[in-house]
Amino acid sequence: MRYWLLKSEADCYSIDDLKSDGTTLWTEVRNYQARNFLRDMSVGDQILFYHSNASPAGIAGVGEVASLCVPDPTQFDQTSEYYDPRATAEKPRWFSPTIAYKETFAAFVSLPTLRINPKFRGMPLLAPGQRLSVQPVSPEHFTGIVALGRSS
DNA sequence: GCCAACGTTGGC
DNA sequence: GCCAACGTTGGC
């Protein structure tokens, strides 16, 4: 089993939205490196759900990969701002796994909290200037963040 | 809303 | 295939 971090703009799709949906198709990723990570996901992989554009930004809870990637339907939708004219049904360019809700942290784990804790040094999330919306997470970092999130 | 960092596009 | 211009991300 592997561990990942998924970013979502908090005012666009938050952990509460995932909770009420139960599962969601993770669409609209338009970055090749992020796409490749999505394709690497296996059913049962654990997801840290990160709120970006929040104050503060940080990790709100945990999800799980419920199904492997399918072609992202928004790439074929001419009315979508994520429409990609270069994508075809035979050769889709973008892919979406299904993510299931697992838990909302009792204690939101903010970005500043992660930065001051030497345990999390080396996380890609904390690297200056990184913007990738899908990132791998080490088992140690995942466990440490979940422990912080469950504490109150 | 600012702006630094980064990815993508497209002319050559 | 280089690289400048442009657009986007995302923390603050």
Side-chain angles (χ1 to χ4, degrees):
Chain A
M1 183 202 294
R2 300 179 70 181
Y3 301 92
W4 309 92
L5 181 144
L6 284 184
K7 292 187 187 175
S8 183
E9 294 187 27
D11 55 0
C12 180
Y13 192 86
S14 73
I15 189 98
D16 293 332
D17 295 315
L18 180 60
K19 184 179 185 178
S20 60
D21 288 349
T23 61
T24 193
L25 193 61
W26 203 258
T27 57
E28 303 178 354
V29 170
R30 293 293 182 270
N31 171 285
Y32 287 105
Q33 207 182 342
R35 178 200 69 181
N36 293 342
F37 284 138
L38 291 178
R39 291 195 305 196
D40 287 345
M41 289 180 176
S42 303
V43 172
D45 283 2
Q46 301 295 294
I47 304 289
L48 293 173
F49 195 95
Y50 179 90
H51 284 176
S52 62
N53 281 333
S55 46
I59 297 162
V62 178
E64 183 175 301
V65 177
S67 329
L68 296 180
C69 279
V70 297
D72 179 342
T74 64
Q75 71 193 306
F76 307 123
D77 177 2
Q78 293 195 35
T79 66
S80 168
E81 73 175 292
Y82 294 93
Y83 174 65
D84 187 340
R86 295 162 296 189
T88 63
E90 295 74 30
K91 277 200 148 188
R93 308 177 100 210
W94 308 109
F95 297 89
S96 301
T98 300
I99 304 300
Y101 173 81
K102 280 197 79 180
E103 70 175 283
T104 302
F105 285 155
F108 183 77
V109 182
S110 76
L111 195 56
T113 300
L114 294 175
R115 286 198 195 283
I116 60 172
N117 190 331
K119 205 188 288 183
F120 301 114
R121 215 167 274 161
M123 280 190 79
L125 180 69
L126 305 182
Q130 71 69 37
R131 313 184 307 192
L132 207 58
S133 66
V134 184
Q135 302 181 6
V137 175
S138 74
E140 296 75 20
H141 289 155
F142 180 86
T143 305
I145 288 168
V146 169
L148 282 181
R150 287 177 180 166
S151 67
S152 50

